């Protein structure tokens, strides 16, 4: 990207703390926001906080995606398998319908690559 030379820095630790506090106050037990990306980018990173026992119900795969566990313990499940993640774990999201369940208060960083432009 020409002219896009500005560096940005964000504290994932501080953001995780804010989202965990928001999730604890939300009736859904969840809080999320885009850390990087948006409609004009192919890369999108989203921080998601889930209180213990909260879930993202089964949903279609967003395409090529990974999940990095920042805090807590989570389970990623699909119709045939489940993967447990703890802090520092990096999980490749299955390309099938899948769900995310927080085994304890947890924060994850979801990274998704999506094509942009008129061909989508």
């Amino acid at each position: 990207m020409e002219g896009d030379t500005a560096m940005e820095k964000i504290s994932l630790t501080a953001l995780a703390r804010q989202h965990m506090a928001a999730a604890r106050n939300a009736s859904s037990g969840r809080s999320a926001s885009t850390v990087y990306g948006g409609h004009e980018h192919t890369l999108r990173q989203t921080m998601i906080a889930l209180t213990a026992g909260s879930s993202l119900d089964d949903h279609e795969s967003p395409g090529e995606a990974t999940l990095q566990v920042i805090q807590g313990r989570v389970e990623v499940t699909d119709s045939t398998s489940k993967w447990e993640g703890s802090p520092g774990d990096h999980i490749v999201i299955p390309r099938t319908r899948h769900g995310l369940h927080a085994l304890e208060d947890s924060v994850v960083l979801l990274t998704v690559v999506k094509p942009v432009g008129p061909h989508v």
Side-chain angles (χ1 to χ4, degrees), residues 15 21 24 32 37 40 46 48 60 74 79 95 104 106 109 112:
L15 193 59
R24 287 182 179 129
E40 70 281 4
T46 305
I48 304 167
E60 296 301 326
V74 298
S79 61
R95 295 271 185 131
E104 55 189 54
S106 301
L109 184 67
V112 176

Side-chain angles (χ1 to χ4, degrees), residues 3-5 29 44 55 57-58 82 85 101 105 108 112 116 119:
D4 192 7
T5 58
R44 179 177 295 178
S55 296
D57 293 335
D58 281 2
K82 72 177 165 182
H101 179 71
D105 287 357
V108 297
V112 176
V116 295
H119 59 281

Side-chain angles (χ1 to χ4, degrees), residues 3 10 13-14 16 18-19 22 25 30 43 45 57-58 62 70 79 84 87 89 91-92 98-99 103 108 112 116 120:
I10 187 167
T13 305
Q18 292 167 11
H19 278 289
N25 289 323
R30 300 190 302 248
L43 177 69
Q45 293 180 300
D57 293 335
D58 281 2
I70 307 289
S79 61
E84 188 172 314
D89 286 348
I91 301 168
V92 176
H98 61 277
L103 300 171
V108 297
V112 176
V116 295
V120 179

